[in-house]
């Protein structure tokens, strides 16, 4: 029964790939919207979808409920099937996109209410509630899919497309629905952005300010649902989650401000949607949904590596810089106290800075710096034993230059207390 | 229904369904209590690329390469989730979401790029499984259960899933005390010298093995449902871990049996001609059980929570 079902999902390109032109040229054409009417529609639709998904997903991510979208998206399947069956029963075509999307929205909403009810009224944690809603709704949807298969051969064609998205033969009307849906979602977000930001950061504070937290949460989920429903046709219900999760995570690497995360996330989502749709149109067997997700992941991976401050590369560089400072400092102190240095990295750092020769003997410059380091250490010692310098002493970490913490006068005062060289014959 | 019909056509799928459901529900109990319930969801998504890569490397659809591929993919996913969580300082839920969607997308793309038209490998199969096709052709009736020759013709999936179930039972049996202690009070478990990290990883590995073995026979949708629904329903029935596990095993077995029967014969009773997806029906039944438990279970409320907010 299932074996008989072998839909081709990746036909989005077949129409244009009759002439086997160079793939690269095709990609450029696609990016410049030169690949034909249908590809252009898909690319614009996917870009709009990406923007609204990225923006919506940001609030979900900041609220730490990213995986709720997974439950919502899987819960759309029964609705799609029931809407199809009702439309067929009423003598319609059954593939009317608006009808199917309404059905999917309805069942996603029911799934969302079940999820909220389970987490609020039972002892189940949110993750268990997500998993149960997801699997049960999806399982029921699969049952309905097999029912539809037995209703009449050939007529169900297209419903499987909702699993993984199918942009083949997308009509102008369909693209318009997606564009309008994406635009309406963005508008709603614009209206709700302040309360949603407040609730995502600090629900208790929001509640204390008199905001209806539960209802704002529900509105947030409603927006997620809207994005999911709009995205069903392009990326499918299994992968739409990626568009809601990956762009916000990507954007989070670049900034610490929530409004910028929202904008960057929308940008990342839009780029992924647009480039992904164009790439999928440029060569055969490149299904739209997965390509969009993979483009999105590429942006994420690049951000994770390269972003300043939060990126992996920045973290590694920061660690190396810190390591060098610690080794230099310890090396200087060792030089000042006449202790031999065996540690290779310290030796290398000292000699590279011109503070010591390769055999570990200090240069003139090195001796001066070493004496300064030792003196600073002594100064810190005084600072840390003096209650009057309590605030400054708290900043001591063994690396900080004392000049950045105390004024010249204070240092002079400390030096006065330390006094000159002692027990040295004149 | 007579034995001549039941044994060859329904006995083996039914047994495989029950074994798979119980094998997933057992580790599921601990995953739900540890708030790691969605690991099952993640695993069931990431095994797809593993299976496709295994197929590309070997060129055949056979059990062992696929199991190895799936297991490798599960490990890659766990490593990636940890890496993203630590390197990027991302909350675990979002890290999981990034990894499993990406790997699933990669699997779908690979599948579309390769010519799998000659073999039975597609996304739908991975999702729904093919429980109905696991029939025992050599059987002629109940007497076949004693017939060595007929027993040799049992579907291989049955043996695999039975072994997996035995493995899951053995794991929980052997590590019962440390598992129980570390699930409820990780700090206390640490002070007792239990290696909680290793134990947590072992639990995930057992879950992954159960998922991959069941996945092969019954599809990912049952796997996710069985990891979560029976333990969650059992959680509403009792406050004791021993009883919770007993309840969850019962619920899993009932879901599998009732789901299979309803899928196979339900439509016939309603006058329709064809059966519906057994995997989907099993998940649905488990959901109904969970709904009933959530509404009427004796321990459904949080301990100490106000009666009505």
């Amino acid at each position: 029964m299932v074996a008989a079902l072998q839909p081709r999902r990746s036909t989005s390109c077949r129409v244009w790939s009759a002439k086997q032109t160079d793939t690269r040229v095709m990609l450029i054409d696609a990016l410049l919207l030169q690949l034909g009417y249908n590809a252009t529609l898909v690319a614009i639709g996917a870009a709009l979808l990406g923007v609204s998904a990225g923006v919506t997903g940001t609030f979900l991510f900041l609220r730490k409920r990213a995986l709720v979208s997974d439950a919502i998206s899987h819960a759309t399947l029964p609705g799609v099937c029931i809407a199809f069956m009702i439309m067929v029963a009423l003598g319609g075509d059954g593939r009317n996109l608006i009808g199917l999307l309404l059905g999917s929205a309805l069942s996603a909403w029911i799934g969302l209410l079940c999820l909220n009810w389970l987490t609020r009224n039972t002892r189940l944690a949110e993750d268990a509630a997500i998993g149960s809603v997801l699997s049960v709704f999806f399982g029921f949807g699969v049952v309905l899919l097999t029912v539809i298969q037995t209703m009449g051969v050939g007529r169900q064609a297209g419903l499987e497309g909702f699993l993984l998205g199918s942009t083949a033969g997308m009509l102008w009307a369909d693209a318009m629905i997606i564009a309008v849906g994406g635009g309406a979602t963005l508008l709603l977000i614009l209206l709700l952005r302040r309360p949603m930001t407040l609730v995502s950061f600090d629900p208790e504070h929001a509640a204390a300010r008199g905001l209806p937290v539960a209802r704002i949460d529900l509105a947030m989920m409603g927006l997620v649902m809207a994005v999911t429903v709009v995205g069903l046709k392009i990326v499918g219900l299994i992968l739409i989650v990626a568009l809601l999760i990956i762009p916000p995570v990507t954007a989070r690497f670049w900034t610490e401000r929530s409004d910028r995360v929202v904008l960057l996330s929308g940008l990342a989502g839009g780029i992924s949607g647009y480039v992904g749709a164009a790439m999928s149109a440029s060569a055969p067997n490149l299904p739209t949904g997965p390509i969009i997700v993979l483009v999105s992941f590429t942006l994420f991976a690049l951000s994770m590596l390269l972003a300043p401050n939060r990126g992996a590369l920045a973290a590694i560089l920061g660690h190396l810089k810190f390591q060098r400072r610690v080794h230099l400092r310890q090396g200087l102190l060792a030089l000042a106290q006449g202790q031999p240095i065996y540690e290779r990295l310290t030796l290398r750092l000292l000699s590279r800075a011109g503070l010591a020769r390769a055999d570990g003997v200090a240069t003139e410059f090195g001796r001066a710096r070493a004496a300064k380091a030792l003196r600073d250490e002594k100064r810190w010692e005084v600072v840390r034993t003096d209650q009057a310098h309590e605030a400054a002493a708290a900043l001591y970490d063994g690396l900080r230059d004392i000049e950045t913490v105390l004024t010249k006068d204070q240092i002079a005062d400390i030096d006065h207390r330390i006094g000159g060289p002692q027990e040295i014959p004149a | 229904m007579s034995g001549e019909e039941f044994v060859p056509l329904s006995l083996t799928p039914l047994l495989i369904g029950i074994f798979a459901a119980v094998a997933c529900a057992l580790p599921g109990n601990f995953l739900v209590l540890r708030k790691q319930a969605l690991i099952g969801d993640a695993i069931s998504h990431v095994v797809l690329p593993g299976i496709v890569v295994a197929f590309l490397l070997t060129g055949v659809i056979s059990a062992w390469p696929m199991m190895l591929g799936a297991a490798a993919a599960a490990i890659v996913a766990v490593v990636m989730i940890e890496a993203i969580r630590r390197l990027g300082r991302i909350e675990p839920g979002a890290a999981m979401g990034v990894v499993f969607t990406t790997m699933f997308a990669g699997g779908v793309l690979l599948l579309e790029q390769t010519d799998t038209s000659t073999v039975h490998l597609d996304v739908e199969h991975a999702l729904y499984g093919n429980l109905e096709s696991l029939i025992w052709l050599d059987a002629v009736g109940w007497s076949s259960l004693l017939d060595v020759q007929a027993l040799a013709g049992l579907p291989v999936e049955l043996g695999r899933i039975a072994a997996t179930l035995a493995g899951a039972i053995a794991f929980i049996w052997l590590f019962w005390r440390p598992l129980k202690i570390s699930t409820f009070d990780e700090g206390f478990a640490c002070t007792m010298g239990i290696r909680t990290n290793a134990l947590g990883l072992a639990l995930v590995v057992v879950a992954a093995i159960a998922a991959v073995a069941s996945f092969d026979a019954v599809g990912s949708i049952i796997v996710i449902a069985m990891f979560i629904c029976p333990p969650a329903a059992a959680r509403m029935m009792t406050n004791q871990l021993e009883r919770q596990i007993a309840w969850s095993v019962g619920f899993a077995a009932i879901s599998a049996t009732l789901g299979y029967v309803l899928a196979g014969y339900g439509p016939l009773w309603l006058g329709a001609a064809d059966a519906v997806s057994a995997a989907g029906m099993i998940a649905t039944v488990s959901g109904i059980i969970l709904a009933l438990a959530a509404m009427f279970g004796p321990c459904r409320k949080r301990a100490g929570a106000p009666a009505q907010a």
Side-chain angles (χ1 to χ4, degrees):
Chain A
M1 166 174 51
V2 179
L5 196 148
Q6 297 262 357
R8 304 309 310 169
R9 286 168 301 274
S10 62
T11 41
S12 52
C13 41
R14 213 148 284 175
V15 187
W16 312 285
S17 64
K19 290 179 288 179
Q20 280 294 330
T21 32
D22 185 15
T23 316
R24 203 186 304 158
V25 176
M26 295 270 290
L27 179 59
I28 293 166
D29 279 353
L31 284 173
L32 297 173
L33 299 177
Q34 302 287 308
L35 216 57
Y37 179 65
N38 209 335
T40 307
L41 272 186
V42 172
I44 293 174
L48 277 172
L49 174 72
V51 171
S52 37
V55 170
T56 314
T58 308
F59 295 103
L60 207 58
F61 169 62
L62 293 178
R63 188 88 170 88
K64 297 196 169 38
R65 296 181 76 188
L67 287 174
V68 173
S69 57
D70 204 20
I72 294 177
S73 63
H74 282 76
T76 53
L77 188 60
V80 172
C81 298
I82 291 176
F84 179 85
M85 290 199 280
I86 291 176
M87 285 193 284
V88 169
L90 294 176
D93 174 32
R95 270 176 291 177
N96 183 315
L97 189 62
I98 294 185
L100 294 177
L101 293 189
L102 279 181
S104 71
L106 201 65
S107 78
W109 190 248
I110 294 172
L112 187 57
L113 292 182
C114 286
L115 179 67
N116 273 345
W117 187 84
L118 276 177
T119 40
R120 292 181 72 187
N121 293 327
T122 72
R123 64 187 351 180
L124 286 189
E126 186 160 53
D127 65 328
I130 290 173
S132 46
V133 167
L134 177 160
S135 57
V136 172
F137 274 70
F138 193 69
F140 184 55
V142 169
V143 170
L144 292 176
L145 267 185
T146 49
V147 170
I148 290 173
Q149 276 169 35
T150 60
M151 273 168 56
V153 183
R155 280 212 290 195
Q156 81 279 11
L159 277 200
E160 284 75 19
F162 282 97
L163 287 179
L164 292 166
S166 135
T167 46
M170 187 141 105
L171 303 172
W172 187 78
D174 296 353
M176 274 314 283
I177 293 170
I178 290 165
V180 169
T185 319
L186 275 180
L187 205 69
L188 276 175
I189 292 166
L190 209 63
L191 292 174
L192 287 173
R193 73 183 190 286
R194 287 199 61 81
M196 284 202 302
T197 316
L198 198 56
V199 170
S200 351
F201 273 103
D202 196 342
E204 279 82 20
H205 176 62
R209 299 251 325 241
L211 285 173
V213 173
R215 254 186 286 164
I216 291 171
D217 259 342
L218 211 57
M220 206 187 281
M221 295 305 147
L223 285 175
V224 170
M225 192 193 76
V227 169
T228 310
V229 166
V230 171
L232 279 186
K233 183 80 181 164
I234 296 185
V235 287
L237 62 89
I238 298 179
L239 290 175
I240 184 74
V241 191
L243 281 189
L244 285 161
I245 297 181
I246 301 179
V249 178
T250 309
R252 185 68 186 82
F253 281 113
W254 296 92
T255 171
E256 305 282 338
R257 291 185 54 90
S258 68
D259 50 350
R260 287 188 199 146
V261 175
V262 170
L263 287 179
L264 284 175
S265 167
L267 187 70
I271 292 174
S272 324
Y274 186 74
V275 175
M279 277 174 76
S280 115
S282 67
N285 289 331
L286 292 178
T288 320
I291 294 284
I292 292 177
V293 175
L294 290 175
V295 171
S296 180
F297 179 75
T298 311
L299 288 180
F300 162 80
L302 287 177
S303 304
M304 189 169 94
L305 285 178
L306 302 178
N309 299 328
R310 286 177 69 97
L313 204 61
I316 293 170
L317 288 179
H319 176 77
L320 286 178
K321 197 176 160 197
F322 178 73
Q323 191 184 29
R324 278 200 300 272
R325 284 180 65 198
V326 172
H327 278 268
L328 260 182
R329 179 87 186 169
Q330 294 302 321
L332 283 174
L333 288 176
L335 284 182
Q337 288 160 335
Q339 293 161 346
I341 300 168
Y342 301 110
E343 216 268 330
R344 291 245 179 91
L345 179 64
T346 314
L347 270 182
R348 210 164 58 230
L349 287 170
L350 285 173
S351 67
R352 202 186 301 159
L355 298 169
R357 299 202 313 246
D359 58 358
V361 176
T363 61
E364 192 72 24
F365 177 51
R367 277 202 295 280
R369 282 283 304 274
K372 160 92 167 62
L374 195 62
R375 183 159 194 85
D376 277 354
E377 204 62 20
K378 185 71 189 169
R379 285 164 169 169
W380 273 113
E381 206 182 300
V382 174
V383 169
R384 287 165 69 206
T385 50
D386 188 352
Q387 285 290 326
H389 290 300
E390 202 183 347
L395 293 169
Y396 174 76
D397 57 2
L399 290 175
R400 199 179 290 263
D401 289 326
I402 199 159
E403 291 85 357
T404 61
V405 180
L406 299 176
T407 62
K408 271 185 186 158
D409 294 347
Q410 284 172 312
I411 294 173
D413 177 47
I414 291 166
D415 283 349
H416 183 69
R417 264 192 265 173
I418 297 172
Q422 292 157 18
E423 292 175 35
I424 292 171
Chain B
M1 172 177 261
S2 63
E4 288 93 78
E5 211 178 315
F6 177 76
V7 174
L9 292 180
S10 290
L11 181 65
T12 43
L14 198 56
L15 280 179
I16 291 171
I18 293 173
F19 286 173
V22 176
C24 290
L26 281 176
N29 275 297
F30 294 96
L31 292 178
V32 165
L33 287 172
R34 287 163 169 251
K35 303 205 188 336
Q36 298 178 326
L38 288 171
I39 285 210
D41 181 31
I43 291 172
S44 58
H45 280 87
V46 301
V47 292
L48 181 72
I51 287 179
V52 178
V53 169
F55 168 73
L56 288 179
L57 290 179
T58 60
V60 286
I61 298 275
S62 68
W64 281 113
M66 300 234 158
M67 299 271 272
L68 287 178
I75 292 168
V76 168
V78 169
V79 171
M80 270 175 79
I81 290 174
E82 275 301 298
I84 289 177
R85 211 165 64 86
R86 299 231 173 117
L87 285 179
R89 278 166 288 167
I90 301 291
E91 54 133 342
M96 202 191 264
V98 171
V99 170
F100 82 75
T101 51
T102 304
M103 289 184 70
F104 189 77
V108 174
L109 182 63
L110 273 179
L111 204 52
E112 292 287 341
Q113 288 280 299
T114 47
D115 179 27
T116 50
S117 54
T118 52
V119 292
H120 184 81
L121 184 66
D122 56 58
V123 178
E124 276 75 17
H125 173 218
L127 287 174
Y128 321 152
N130 56 344
L131 192 53
E132 295 88 341
S133 66
L134 300 174
I135 48 177
W136 184 15
L137 284 174
D138 297 321
V140 289
W142 289 109
S143 57
S144 302
L145 286 177
L146 302 171
D147 182 355
V148 178
Q149 213 172 0
L151 283 175
L154 275 172
V156 283
E157 285 87 352
L158 184 62
R160 270 206 298 274
I161 197 76
T164 312
L165 176 61
I169 293 174
F171 172 75
I172 290 173
W173 189 271
L174 282 175
F175 293 98
W176 173 256
R177 273 185 63 78
L179 261 180
K180 187 175 174 182
I181 296 170
S182 71
T183 299
F184 286 102
D185 193 339
E186 189 149 0
F188 178 59
C190 279
T191 60
M192 286 185 64
I194 297 169
R195 294 175 59 194
T196 47
N197 284 341
L199 197 63
L201 189 67
L203 181 66
V204 172
V205 169
V206 169
I209 293 171
V212 171
S214 322
F215 182 83
D216 174 40
V218 297
S220 61
I221 192 63
I222 293 196
V223 173
I224 309 172
M226 288 302 138
F227 266 126
I228 299 171
C229 291
R235 184 88 183 84
M236 320 263 195
M237 302 302 290
T238 169
N239 277 328
Q240 264 193 306
L241 184 60
E242 292 82 359
R243 292 195 192 146
Q244 182 192 321
I245 288 183
W247 275 108
S248 73
V249 169
F251 285 149
I254 292 173
S255 309
T257 316
L258 206 59
Y260 182 78
V261 171
L262 281 180
Y265 307 109
L268 301 182
W269 298 334
L270 291 176
D274 296 284
V276 296
S277 161
M281 196 50 114
I282 292 173
T284 311
V285 172
S286 75
I288 293 170
I289 291 177
L290 175 62
L292 290 176
M295 279 188 281
F296 306 112
C299 302
R300 61 186 185 278
K301 296 280 179 198
R302 266 184 206 100
Q308 189 62 52

